[in-house]
Amino acid sequence: MPQPDSLPLPPANTQEPPEPSPPEERTPMLDIHPAHHAASTWRDFFIHIATIVIGLLIAIGLEQTVEALHHRHQRHQLQEDLHNEAEQNLQVIDRDLKMQNLEPWFDEATRKVSAAPQHLEKIQITLPPAPCLPGSVGTAEFRYFAPSQAVWTTAKEGSLVALLPVEQSRMQARLAHNYDLLGAARDIVFTGCQSIVAMRRRFAQPASTKGAPEVWTMTPDQAERLATAASDTKIAIQGLLFRLRWSKVYELGIVNGESAADVKMMTINQERFEDPPAR
C-alpha cells in the first residue's frame, strides 16, 4: 500500500488570477475645456485677460440692469400707492372738517355758565345734548376719523423710502410730522369730551325726548369746571381743524404731483387754516 508521502500531487494551476478592471470614470457635470494652447505671447495673454474682464463686466451689467428695473417698478408702485392713499385721505379730511359744526355747543355752555348767578348754592343752565360720545371724538353725525399713514409707514419699515425722489420724500416726511401733531390734538379733544360726558351724567337731567334741551344742576364751582372743560375742548377742536387744513394742502400737493411743498407752505397765509369768524 503506497504511503501518503508518495501520493501524487494535483497539478499546479499555472494560470494567474485576472487583474481587476479599472473603475469607470464618471462623466463630469461640467466639462471644462482647457485652452487649446498656452498663451505664447503677451498679445495672447492680454486678449485672454480682456475676454475674462469683458465677460465679468457683462454679467455685472446685466445684474445691475435687472436690479435697476426692479427698483424702478418698486418706486412706481410706491408712488401710485401714496397717490391713492392721498386721494382717500382727502375724503376723510373733508369729513373731519365738519367737526367745526360742534363748536357752538361749547360756546353756549361757556356763555350760560358765565351768565348764571354765582351767589346761589345751586344754579341751573339749559343746554342741548353735548356733542360728545363715550370713547369717541365727535358725534354720530360729525365724528373724527384719522387719515391713513399705512403706505408711508410700510415704506419706512421696508426701507423703500430711499427709492423716492428727495423732494417727494421731504413732502411725505412733513406730512407725517403734521399727522403726529394732528394725533396729539385729537387726544386733547378726546380728553375734554370725556370730561364733559362724565359731568353730563352727573349733573344733567335726562330730556324727556331725544334731542331736547337738558337741564344741568350744579354748584357754582362745578359749573366753572364745566365752562373750563367746554372752553378747552373748543380750543382743542380748533387746533384739530387747523392741522386738518394743513394736511389737506399737503395731500392735494401729493395728488397733483407738486414737489416744492415746503416753499409753498412757508409762504402761504396761515389765516386760511383758522376758523372763519362767526357771523
Side-chain angles (χ1 to χ4, degrees):
M1 183 175 183
Q3 299 295 326
D5 294 339
S6 61
L7 293 177
L9 298 175
N13 187 4
T14 58
Q15 295 182 357
E16 296 182 356
E19 296 183 359
S21 58
E24 296 182 0
E25 296 183 359
R26 296 182 179 179
T27 304
M29 296 181 64
L30 180 62
D31 191 9
I32 301 177
H33 297 278
H36 295 290
H37 58 83
S40 57
T41 64
W42 284 108
R43 179 175 178 274
D44 294 340
F45 173 77
F46 285 121
I47 290 176
H48 182 67
I49 295 299
T51 303
I52 296 175
V53 171
I54 292 174
L56 291 175
L57 292 177
I58 292 175
I60 295 174
L62 290 175
E63 181 181 2
Q64 294 294 327
T65 300
V66 171
E67 186 175 359
L69 291 175
H70 179 61
H71 287 170
R72 180 182 179 184
H73 172 73
Q74 287 181 311
R75 181 176 69 253
H76 289 171
Q77 185 63 53
L78 177 57
Q79 289 173 327
E80 181 180 355
D81 292 341
L82 289 170
H83 182 276
N84 294 337
E85 187 175 58
E87 289 184 332
Q88 295 174 2
N89 281 342
L90 286 174
Q91 299 178 12
V92 174
I93 291 173
D94 286 338
R95 177 188 175 93
D96 289 343
L97 287 173
K98 295 179 181 179
M99 287 191 63
Q100 185 177 357
N101 297 329
L102 306 179
E103 293 183 10
W105 187 93
F106 303 99
D107 287 333
E108 184 177 357
T110 305
R111 185 175 62 255
K112 287 191 173 181
V113 169
S114 299
Q118 301 297 315
H119 62 280
L120 300 177
E121 183 179 353
K122 293 283 187 176
I123 60 176
Q124 288 185 336
I125 60 174
T126 303
L127 291 170
C132 296
L133 295 175
S136 181
V137 174
T139 65
E141 184 179 5
F142 306 112
R143 183 176 299 179
Y144 172 80
F145 290 91
S148 173
Q149 301 184 70
V151 175
W152 178 248
T153 301
T154 303
K156 289 196 301 181
E157 294 176 351
S159 302
L160 298 177
V161 175
L163 300 176
L164 296 174
V166 176
E167 297 80 5
Q168 187 173 3
S169 296
R170 184 183 297 114
M171 181 183 294
Q172 292 288 162
R174 296 285 191 187
L175 177 61
H177 176 65
N178 188 71
Y179 277 148
D180 291 340
L181 298 176
L182 179 64
R186 182 262 179 199
D187 291 341
I188 298 175
V189 176
F190 176 82
T191 301
C193 269
Q194 299 315 295
S195 298
I196 293 174
V197 167
M199 286 188 284
R200 178 190 180 193
R201 289 185 174 181
R202 183 177 178 185
F203 304 125
Q205 180 71 27
S208 57
T209 58
K210 184 178 180 180
E214 300 171 339
V215 178
W216 293 56
T217 303
M218 301 167 287
T219 65
D221 289 341
Q222 292 167 344
E224 184 61 29
R225 284 173 48 203
L226 173 62
T228 301
S231 178
D232 292 345
T233 305
K234 180 191 174 181
I235 293 174
I237 290 177
Q238 290 178 333
L240 186 71
L241 295 172
F242 181 86
R243 286 298 162 189
L244 284 170
R245 295 181 182 113
W246 272 81
S247 302
K248 185 174 182 178
V249 172
Y250 274 109
E251 296 287 19
L252 282 172
I254 294 172
V255 170
N256 296 330
E258 296 181 8
S259 59
D262 287 345
V263 176
K264 181 177 181 180
M265 298 303 287
M266 286 187 293
T267 57
I268 201 169
N269 182 9
Q270 295 191 21
E271 292 182 358
R272 61 176 289 188
F273 301 126
E274 300 176 0
D275 283 359
R279 296 181 180 178

